Amino acid sequence: MRLAVVSPFVDRQHGTERALAEVLGRLRGEPGWEIFLYAQNVEDLPLAEEGQEAASGCGNICWRRIPRLPGPHLVQFCGWLALNGLWRWWDSRVRGLRFDLTFSPGINCLRPDATIVHVNFHRLAELSRTEGRDESELSPGHLRRMHRRMYYWFLVALEKRIYADRKVALAAVSRRTAAFLETQFGRNDVRVIPDGVDLRQYSLAVRLSRRAASRADWKFSEDDFILLLIGNDWRVKGLPVLLKAVALCRDLPLRILVAGAGDAAPFEQFAARIGVGDQLHLAGPRADVRSLYAAADAYVSPTREDSFALPVLEAMACGLPVVTSAFAGVSELIKDGQDGFVLRDPADSRALAELLRQLHKDGELRRRIGENAARAAQDFTWEKHAEGTRDFLKRLAEKKYRPAAV
């Protein structure tokens, strides 16, 4: 199987990119698989030496580096689409490489054979249209808001073109995303392949062994009750609602630890206005987030949209009690009140505040929920995710090259 994989980034700092890195790291050991990775940046993934092609059966990954254009995100993305298409055309027509399949995690090329859907841009576009109306104190400037809406509009148009095409095989990371694809595009043939977790790296034992050192690094006392949130686009992930909920619990020693990429200033200003500025700690992007889970007492993400929400599953594997919303795909893996908590309304800061009070007060509840969460996470590993992806691609290749009936 000669596979062209198209993704602008491959690393272990973001959900979609981490899932791809985990899959490729396992597929590279498959006898007879050749993987050509078309990407702008690759981190934490074994690659073939510069200029060395992936030899059949050796399991190498050959990185075809795609240049990155400067400019606003929309310009960069359009450049990415054009250039990765040009590089693949050159390899096919000039270098004579013939790929069995072109595989893309999300919208990264115009004519993929297979795509795993990690993001619902229709939903993100809907949320972007509320900017400036709700939580206006956190809305970006006018130009940034217009740029984001144009970017999402373009991606929604690509979703309509690619996902509605039945020549493109689709998989989704959750049943929620698969249901969206069926409702929006009539795709009742979508395979569900949930994300996974590395149970050797993320476990209750690992978290507890690192707890004291991690909390000391952040200068948290044992009385501090740490609420963790990891991800980009903090407005969508529910940080404003979490800040409001903490403001309703002023009598409790709650602190919010946030990791990810984002414009910190609006959230710091908003937190200061509602009286919780001293309780907000922004960590920025982290390659290794295990120390963050170790420092936390609960993971809280009242997200407004997330096709899966990988940090929730990682937190569960670490034995943390988790709070997410029904708008996260991972919520379908949680038994509400048994191994986690699912908010039906991610905007309900009062309901969240009551839940935070309950978690802070009841140590036995935290222990029970966390242990149940760790057990539930055992069923979702990267090995199973890679196995599902491997089977998905192999079946598609067999179907694509099956001789036509006479």
Side-chain angles (χ1 to χ4, degrees), residues 35 61 84 96 108 114 119 124 135 149 163 190 193 203 233 263 274 282-283 328 338-339 363 381:
I35 300 174
I61 299 174
N84 84 63
N108 291 304
V119 181
L124 292 180
E135 294 167 357
R149 291 180 183 178
Y163 295 164
V190 178
I193 309 175
S203 70
D233 199 343
D263 184 2
I274 63 175
L282 300 178
Q338 296 183 39
D339 48 30
T381 65

Side-chain angles (χ1 to χ4, degrees), residues 234-251:
W234 296 328
R235 182 175 177 272
V236 171
K237 297 297 183 186
L239 180 54
V241 175
L242 178 53
L243 289 168
K244 291 178 181 178
V246 170
L248 294 172
C249 303
R250 296 182 190 277
D251 55 315

Side-chain angles (χ1 to χ4, degrees), residues 127-321:
L127 292 176
S128 74
R129 288 194 288 271
T130 69
E131 291 180 340
R133 296 202 301 269
D134 62 333
E135 294 167 357
S136 58
E137 66 274 15
L138 287 167
S139 296
H142 178 70
L143 290 178
R144 182 178 296 180
R145 186 163 61 245
M146 290 298 296
H147 173 263
R148 179 178 295 178
R149 291 180 183 178
M150 290 174 62
Y151 175 62
Y152 285 151
W153 173 85
F154 183 55
L155 288 167
V156 165
L158 289 178
E159 280 187 339
K160 292 178 180 178
R161 170 178 173 164
I162 296 171
Y163 295 164
D165 184 356
R166 287 190 171 266
K167 293 180 181 178
V168 180
L170 296 181
V173 292
S174 65
R175 292 194 299 270
R176 179 175 180 272
T177 302
F180 156 74
L181 293 169
E182 181 173 9
T183 300
Q184 196 73 30
F185 307 109
R187 295 298 300 265
N188 57 1
D189 56 345
V190 178
R191 179 166 179 169
V192 176
I193 309 175
D195 281 341
V197 64
D198 186 342
L199 297 174
R200 297 166 300 178
Q201 303 290 326
Y202 300 89
S203 70
L204 176 58
V206 170
R207 178 175 70 85
L208 293 179
S209 70
R210 301 180 62 168
R211 177 179 169 85
S214 296
R215 290 176 74 93
D217 287 343
W218 283 97
K219 297 180 174 56
F220 294 143
S221 73
E222 276 305 308
D223 292 333
D224 290 331
F225 193 81
I226 311 305
L227 310 174
L228 176 64
L229 187 155
I230 299 174
N232 303 321
D233 199 343
W234 296 328
R235 182 175 177 272
V236 171
K237 297 297 183 186
L239 180 54
V241 175
L242 178 53
L243 289 168
K244 291 178 181 178
V246 170
L248 294 172
C249 303
R250 296 182 190 277
D251 55 315
L252 302 182
L254 304 181
R255 293 184 179 273
I256 306 172
L257 179 58
V258 182
D263 184 2
F267 296 93
E268 291 173 333
Q269 293 165 7
F270 177 57
R273 275 197 295 273
I274 63 175
V276 295
D278 292 340
Q279 294 167 260
L280 176 62
H281 305 267
L282 300 178
R286 293 295 178 96
D288 185 359
V289 295
R290 289 176 298 170
S291 64
L292 301 178
Y293 294 120
D297 293 291
Y299 186 90
V300 185
S301 176
T303 184
R304 303 171 71 187
E305 168 57 34
D306 211 319
S307 290
F308 189 80
L310 179 57
V312 175
L313 181 59
E314 291 177 342
M316 291 175 67
C318 289
L320 281 172

